[in-house]
Amino acid sequence: MSISGLVQHYGVLCILLWSESASVSSRDERTRIPACNRSLHAERAGDRHAAAHKIAVARFTRTLGTLITSGVPILEGLAITARTSGNAVLEQSLMKVRKAVEEGRTIVDPLKESGVFPNMVVQMIGVGEATGAMDAMLQKIADFYEDEVDAATKTC
């Protein structure tokens, strides 16, 4: 049987096997964390993937801001946001932030220590925490980063 005959008869099976192997490799922590780390630190390196970092920050701030606005406690909101971030490095950082907040620390110090979040984001979250308007501040940060991504990806 020729290769084209194999593809005709077993093409769907080949596609399913290929997609499952890609899915399994994307769940493997050994491959996920380095890839996610590269995308989060791309902006500082001047890499072409700077938008991935901005998208991750926008998603984090939008999700956490929405959860807090909806009345979800901060600890639960951080856990949900970490699990739904789609980025292993961001997930690990947010779980460390959650643990620190649970121990009584402010949210700003562990965010800064993680090295994942830009200084402007950390400072704005700190202002939001100090004024009791963290949900509104998180939404403003998300708006800013979403606008940045839109501007960077806009084509004429």
Side-chain angles (χ1 to χ4, degrees), residues 109-121:
D109 293 332
L111 282 175
K112 189 179 230 178
E113 291 166 5
S114 73
V116 172
F117 304 96
N119 286 333
M120 181 192 78
V121 171

Side-chain angles (χ1 to χ4, degrees), residues 11-126:
V12 174
L13 179 62
C14 291
I15 291 170
L16 289 174
L17 289 173
W18 175 79
S19 66
E20 180 60 26
S21 68
S23 173
V24 168
S25 69
S26 70
R27 290 185 299 236
D28 184 3
E29 292 298 314
R30 292 173 295 169
T31 56
R32 265 183 74 218
I33 291 177
C36 293
N37 198 25
R38 278 192 302 277
S39 70
L40 285 175
H41 295 293
E43 185 173 22
R44 285 181 232 146
D47 195 60
R48 63 185 170 95
H49 298 291
H53 185 246
K54 291 177 182 178
I55 290 167
V57 171
R59 188 179 299 159
F60 151 66
T61 54
R62 177 74 66 206
T63 303
L64 186 58
T66 301
L67 289 169
I68 292 171
T69 300
S70 301
V72 175
I74 187 77
L75 292 175
E76 190 175 340
L78 284 167
I80 292 168
T81 305
R83 287 193 307 266
T84 60
S85 69
N87 185 295
V89 173
L90 191 61
E91 182 178 350
Q92 285 180 347
S93 296
L94 289 175
M95 291 311 289
K96 287 178 184 175
V97 169
R98 183 190 183 285
K99 185 174 178 12
V101 170
E102 190 174 34
E103 293 169 352
R105 293 177 64 191
T106 66
I107 194 170
V108 174
D109 293 332
L111 282 175
K112 189 179 230 178
E113 291 166 5
S114 73
V116 172
F117 304 96
N119 286 333
M120 181 192 78
V121 171
V122 174
Q123 290 172 358
M124 289 180 73
I125 290 173

